[in-house]
Amino acid sequence: MKHISGDRHPGPTRRALLAAGAGAALAAGCTRGGASGAPAAASSGSAPPTAAAGDLTPGAMTLFKDPAYNFNGLLALGGSGAGAAEVGEVLTAVNTINGAGLTAQTYVQTFRALGDQLLEAPPGTPADGQTKRFRALRAAQYYAQALFFVLGSDDPGSEEALYKAGRGAWDTFCGLCEPAPVKANVPYGATPLPVWFFRPDTSGTPRPTVILTNGSDGQNVDMWTYGVPAALDRGWNALVYDGPGQGQLLFVDQVVFTPTWEKVVTPLVDWLTARSDVDPDKIALTGLSMAGDLAPRAAAFETRIAALVAMPGCVEPWLGFPPEIRKILTPDKQETNDIWNKEVVPELPPDAADVMKKRFEPFSIPAMLEARRGKLFTDFYTPATRIQALSITDVVGRIKAPTLVLDYEGEQFYPGQPRQMYDALTSPKDYLKLTAAQGAQLHCSPMAPQLHCEVVFDWLQKTLLKR
């Protein structure tokens, strides 16, 4: 852990797109919690660093030969420290999947069955509340594992039902917490934001509060692993929520991502500051994965944010796509879609097509609905321009709150971008890089979320409570 205070391409041909292995690169990089997907090209537009990422999962860290599935499996294992998985359950699932032959179908089928199993009665004596609670939390994790790959399975149309199964498990878990989080709907346009407000107790004491922001394809259970217990153990409140393009708003309400994330966070801050158990001067905001772009965008305009953590720093999510894919986009919608449909799609391998379905669904409801029917979207231009619009290079300098920018050795999605964000900040700032020597390598440190939380909350404590 290190600490310190071109020109438009006219459009690729099929041969140009596939010669560099774009399809293989896409298929290898579809990982939960990321910028929705594949190993990122560096800011210079160089090839995705797949080899480097592979070198960082040696020996027992390689659960699956495919890096996409391996990353997801490591995320599940990492959740064990927070009770959001069980090592034996995950490794047994891994063995089952590998024994059957790794495919989206075997992965989805195995983890969905494990979620179903945990919502049933455990062996032995009747389960008490604590047992039911953490079995439901683990079920939420395993449903999330299945959900990520369901569009590539034999039953892509079950996506919404699978999301609802995971959401039901999460809500069961929350209802059995003591105290149970306050569950509410915060106004946001025509579709309210579901929130879960966790408190250490019900005394009403004003406390520092952290707003935990998820990435483009994470689920609520990830926010438990990456912050809620750490906050509660330190006497903080923690707010978990679904924003546009996430959770309920995506899979049920069909609302895609917005580039103006301050319009999402400001209603949350309004809701928090109206509560007597929130210290309005000590509200922090964190952003995991692609939310390392969303949270800084919000903090650039919402001045009541007292501290910000980008995990990792991200300024241009579009660079999280391989250059071969980015070159498809031109200023003209018809030209772009002609390239996509006539030159790219006919040559796209099935596994790469499944990756594109997953990567684009949070930015296009038609793409999501087509994917649920087993089809690939035909409008590349609209979701691609929405992803481009998430760039925050022109607003980072507006951030006034003290900011911690995290980086990771072997960062697959946004290499170089955390440092780019750090350099552009004009507010009080810190930069931390988590490393392979700590077992904290790769995007969001999937094998070390406890260390991740220690770093984040030590910094928050120092920044908000000891200044």
Side-chain angles (χ1 to χ4, degrees), residues 15-384:
R15 182 177 179 182
L17 176 75
L18 299 173
L26 276 170
C30 189
T31 52
R32 184 157 61 95
S36 7
S43 298
S44 63
S46 59
T50 51
D55 293 339
L56 291 173
T57 55
M61 296 177 185
T62 300
L63 306 177
F64 301 106
K65 292 182 178 180
D66 184 297
Y69 292 94
N70 196 61
F71 186 86
N72 278 267
L74 293 176
L75 278 168
L77 271 185
S80 299
E86 178 77 285
V87 171
E89 291 169 349
V90 174
L91 294 182
T92 299
V94 168
N95 286 340
T96 300
I97 294 164
N98 283 328
L102 175 63
T103 64
Q105 179 63 19
T106 58
Y107 198 96
V108 170
Q109 190 174 42
T110 301
F111 275 106
R112 175 187 280 158
L114 185 51
D116 291 343
Q117 174 187 322
L118 286 169
L119 293 182
E120 298 172 355
T125 57
D128 63 13
Q130 281 291 86
T131 295
K132 292 178 180 177
R133 179 165 77 108
F134 277 100
R135 283 173 71 88
L137 181 64
R138 301 202 308 276
Q141 171 73 260
Y142 304 142
Y143 285 132
Q145 289 285 322
L147 177 66
F148 188 82
F149 291 104
V150 71
L151 293 180
S153 75
D154 296 346
D155 188 16
S158 66
E159 183 181 50
E160 183 177 343
L162 189 50
Y163 162 73
K164 288 180 176 177
R167 168 65 181 273
W170 166 256
D171 283 334
T172 296
F173 165 75
C174 289
L176 292 169
C177 288
E178 182 57 46
V182 175
K183 186 177 176 181
N185 289 306
V186 173
Y188 172 74
T191 309
L193 309 173
V195 303
W196 296 263
F197 178 69
F198 291 85
R199 308 150 293 167
D201 55 48
T202 58
S203 65
T205 302
R207 298 179 182 275
T209 301
V210 60
I211 303 172
L212 301 168
T213 307
N214 218 331
S216 73
D217 40 34
Q219 302 303 320
N220 301 129
V221 63
D222 300 315
M223 295 297 91
W224 177 266
T225 300
Y226 281 89
V228 176
L232 297 177
D233 289 347
R234 290 165 175 80
W236 287 54
N237 303 316
L239 186 75
V240 176
Y241 69 101
D242 286 341
Q246 301 173 325
Q248 177 184 309
L249 269 74
L250 174 63
F251 295 113
V252 180
D253 300 329
Q254 299 187 9
V255 180
V256 299
F257 272 110
T258 174
T260 54
W261 205 257
E262 68 276 12
K263 295 180 181 178
V264 180
V265 169
T266 289
L268 300 176
V269 177
D270 290 342
W271 188 83
L272 288 171
T273 55
R275 297 186 60 88
S276 61
D277 52 1
V278 172
D279 184 336
D281 296 323
K282 292 182 173 61
I283 297 176
L285 178 65
T286 69
L288 185 70
S289 191
M290 198 186 79
D293 169 275
L294 304 175
R297 164 74 197 205
F301 296 93
E302 175 47 73
T303 59
R304 291 173 292 178
I305 297 300
L308 170 69
V309 186
M311 313 179 306
C314 170
V315 292
E316 292 194 64
W318 183 229
L319 293 181
F321 288 74
E324 298 87 353
I325 295 299
R326 299 200 309 271
K327 290 175 183 176
I328 297 169
L329 182 62
T330 79
D332 182 78
K333 181 175 182 179
Q334 187 63 54
E335 179 187 2
T336 296
N337 287 339
D338 282 347
I339 294 170
W340 171 247
N341 291 301
K342 296 177 182 180
E343 298 185 26
V344 179
V345 172
E347 301 291 346
L348 203 60
D351 51 0
D354 291 338
V355 172
M356 291 301 289
K357 293 172 187 176
K358 180 61 181 175
R359 298 192 67 183
F360 272 56
E361 72 169 351
F363 306 97
S364 168
I365 297 307
M368 181 177 75
L369 298 179
E370 284 294 288
R372 290 178 178 179
R373 291 191 285 267
K375 298 179 180 180
L376 189 60
F377 55 89
T378 57
D379 180 7
F380 181 98
Y381 179 87
T382 301

